[in-house]
């Protein structure tokens, strides 16, 4: 047998398709943190408490979890054509995001953000499946680019706010809504499914216990949960940290919003780097190494809170790179460790529990900041996540089953 892949395994136009899919993901993900990027304005204009402000982010997380579970239970990605499902979801997300322009008050805004999360559940996971229909070989690298698109899109509202500093906060909502509408156009008119479709892999509640009893899958999930404990809480509250640092006299990049954009967007580098490292040195070493770096940054960033500015930037950017660089590898690990018939259940459990965990940590952060008298040391509460996650992945690396990861690279 020749080692050269058969022509059927290499889809013509796959890189063009990946480019369009990534652009669509970038556009749609701008509405995930659109309210988070303008929280200081909303706190002022709507007289919100810090706890209420946190729910404008948490509502999206909850909506995403419930939306993903509901879509899996009814096999929605198997019933509806992927590009149509993603395009309609983008339209719904744009509409829910635009509700903020009506200034519906706290309760109305929470409902709108929840609806945004539900809509994104019909967009992001199906986009991963859509990408996979174009790639057999090179799927890991393609996944890295897709997560990079999610990262860049998540950072864009901070850029909108930074560029519109001193301008009405509604500009951020308008820009993110238009970007999400452009995503609907991309998926609805410019992208089609690739030739490498695959069979059903759906959530089956009866199989959940079997998935949870697998020790290798459990360790991979525990690594992911540690990663998620840290990731979205940092993304959600770094603007608040940067604003507090600015009041203490340290304002890198001219404004807290621009600083937050640079830090979150730097994760694009981490996604590509993580994919390359995982193929070379293995998934366990890559994920554990990324979490060691991110955990050190969570522990050290408080020391650079009030300067020097260059040190604060170095720690924050390394954190932005390392905190997301391992993300795609946990899902890849589960697909390699779980029984083929249980992959859909395993991935749904991983994502649902992971995102549910972020709800608690996002809620917790402002309370920790209040107890500590400010944001300088608040990120210390995130440190247990990467510590536990790195431990879990190194335990997994020592198991015989780890030879199934990344072609034998542990």
């Amino acid at each position: 047998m020749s080692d050269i892949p058969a022509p059927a395994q290499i889809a013509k136009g796959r890189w063009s398709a990946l480019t369009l899919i990534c652009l669509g993901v970038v556009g749609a993900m701008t509405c995930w943190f659109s309210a988070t990027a303008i929280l200081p304005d909303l706190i002022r204009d709507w007289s919100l408490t810090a706890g209420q402000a946190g729910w404008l982010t948490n509502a999206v997380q909850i909506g995403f979890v419930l939306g993903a579970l509901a879509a899996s239970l009814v096999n929605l990605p198997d019933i509806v054509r992927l590009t149509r499902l993603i395009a309609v979801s983008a339209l719904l997300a744009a509409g829910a995001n635009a509700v903020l322009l009506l200034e519906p008050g706290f309760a109305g805004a929470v409902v709108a953000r929840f609806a945004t999360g539900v809509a994104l559940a019909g967009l992001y996971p199906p986009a991963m499946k859509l990408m996979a229909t174009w790639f057999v070989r090179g799927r890991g690298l393609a996944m890295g680019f897709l997560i990079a698109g999610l990262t860049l899109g998540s950072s864009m509202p901070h850029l909108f706010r930074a560029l519109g500093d001193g301008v009405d906060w509604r500009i951020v909502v308008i820009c993110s809504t238009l970007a999400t509408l452009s995503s609907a156009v991309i998926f609805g008119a410019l992208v089609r499914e690739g030739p490498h479709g695959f069979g059903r892999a759906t959530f089956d509640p009866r199989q959940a216990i079997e998935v949870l009893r697998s020790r290798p899958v459990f360790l991979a999930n525990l690594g992911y949960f540690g990663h998620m404990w840290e990731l979205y809480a940092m993304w959600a509250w770094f603007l608040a940290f940067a604003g507090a640092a600015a009041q203490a006299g340290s304002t890198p990049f001219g404004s807290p919003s621009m600083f937050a954009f640079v830090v979150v967007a730097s994760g694009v580098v981490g996604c590509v780097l993580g994919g390359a490292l995982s193929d070379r040195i293995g998934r366990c070493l890559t994920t554990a190494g990324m979490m060691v770096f991110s955990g050190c940054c969570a522990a050290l960033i408080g020391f650079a809170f009030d300067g020097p500015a260059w040190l604060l930037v170095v720690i924050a950017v390394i954190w932005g790179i390392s905190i997301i660089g391992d993300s795609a590898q946990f899902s890849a690990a589960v697909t390699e460790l779980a029984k083929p018939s249980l992959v859909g259940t395993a991935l749904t459990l991983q994502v649902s529990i992971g995102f549910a965990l972020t709800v608690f940590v996002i809620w917790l952060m402002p309370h920790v900041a209040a107890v500590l008298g400010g944001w300088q040391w608040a990120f210390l509460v995130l440190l247990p996540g990467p510590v536990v996650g790195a431990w879990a992945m190194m335990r997994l690396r020592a198991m015989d089953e780890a030879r199934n990861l990344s072609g034998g690279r542990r």
Side-chain angles (χ1 to χ4, degrees):
M1 296 290 291
S2 172
D3 290 333
I4 300 175
Q9 296 294 301
I10 302 177
K12 184 178 180 180
R14 62 179 184 159
W15 292 109
S16 297
L18 178 61
T19 300
L20 289 171
I21 292 170
C22 288
L23 286 174
V25 168
V26 169
M29 288 299 139
T30 59
C31 66
W32 193 300
F33 286 111
S34 58
T36 305
I38 55 174
L39 279 182
D41 304 278
L42 298 183
I43 289 172
R44 182 193 65 233
D45 293 355
W46 294 3
S47 301
L48 302 179
T49 66
Q52 288 176 321
W55 280 107
L56 294 183
T57 299
N58 256 341
V60 183
Q61 311 295 112
I62 296 172
F64 183 87
V65 171
L66 296 181
L69 283 173
S72 297
L73 287 170
V74 301
N75 304 328
L76 194 60
D78 295 313
I79 297 171
V80 182
R81 192 173 66 192
L82 286 174
T83 52
R84 182 175 298 168
L85 172 62
I86 297 169
V88 170
S89 297
L91 287 174
L92 294 175
N97 191 63
V99 169
L100 294 176
L101 297 172
L102 304 177
E103 299 191 50
F106 172 67
V110 168
V111 172
R113 299 310 291 159
F114 174 84
T116 302
V118 172
L120 290 175
L123 190 150
Y124 173 58
M128 290 193 289
K129 184 176 181 180
L130 177 62
M131 177 275 296
T133 68
W134 284 97
F135 286 83
V136 175
R137 294 193 57 165
R139 186 175 288 177
L141 180 60
M143 180 66 76
F145 279 115
L146 192 64
I147 300 298
L150 175 146
T151 303
L152 182 59
S154 299
S155 72
M156 291 303 290
H158 294 297
L159 179 62
F160 297 152
R161 177 73 280 187
L163 295 178
D165 193 21
V167 182
D168 197 307
W169 56 263
R170 294 168 185 81
I171 295 297
V172 175
V173 180
I174 292 171
C175 289
S176 56
T177 299
L178 292 175
T180 307
L181 288 174
S182 72
S183 172
V185 173
I186 289 172
F187 286 112
L190 302 179
V191 182
R192 61 182 175 84
E193 291 186 32
H196 304 306
F198 41 92
R200 288 178 184 267
T202 58
F203 181 76
D204 184 350
R206 294 171 299 178
Q207 296 175 335
I209 294 177
E210 185 174 350
V211 169
L212 294 174
R213 289 175 61 184
S214 169
R215 183 166 177 79
V217 173
F218 171 78
L219 288 172
N221 282 337
L222 187 59
Y224 179 73
F225 299 153
H227 159 76
M228 291 297 280
W229 175 275
E230 183 187 21
L231 175 62
Y232 274 87
M234 186 271 215
W235 277 4
W237 292 112
F238 192 84
L239 178 62
F241 176 88
Q247 292 179 356
S250 184
T251 314
F253 304 105
S255 72
S257 292
M258 184 59 79
F259 189 18
F261 164 72
V262 170
V263 170
V264 178
S266 66
V268 171
V269 176
C271 293
V272 178
L273 179 63
L277 285 174
S278 184
D279 289 339
R280 182 175 293 272
I281 67 173
R283 304 206 194 285
C284 294
L285 279 181
T286 297
T287 53
M290 289 283 186
M291 284 187 282
V292 167
F293 273 99
S294 64
C296 288
C297 292
L300 294 175
I301 197 166
F303 291 99
F305 177 77
D306 51 2
W310 68 265
L311 181 60
L312 179 59
V313 168
V314 168
I315 295 174
V317 170
I318 292 175
W319 199 10
I321 292 171
S322 58
I323 199 171
I324 186 65
D326 52 354
S327 190
Q329 307 313 315
F330 296 107
S331 297
V334 164
T335 65
E336 294 162 335
L337 294 169
K339 292 181 180 179
S341 61
L342 302 180
V343 165
T345 299
L347 286 175
T348 301
L349 281 172
Q350 184 189 70
V351 171
S352 300
I353 296 174
F355 273 89
L357 188 62
T358 68
V359 174
F360 171 73
V361 193
I362 290 171
W363 168 84
L364 179 65
M365 287 294 296
H367 297 284
V368 171
V371 169
L372 297 179
W375 283 96
Q376 181 173 4
W377 301 108
F379 283 137
L380 287 175
V381 77
L382 303 183
L383 185 57
V387 170
V388 172
W391 172 84
M393 296 309 291
M394 293 308 293
R395 291 283 295 177
L396 173 59
R397 187 172 187 266
M399 299 184 67
D400 290 339
E401 289 87 344
R403 286 178 293 189
N404 295 324
L405 297 171
S406 190
R409 301 176 186 87
R410 302 178 183 222

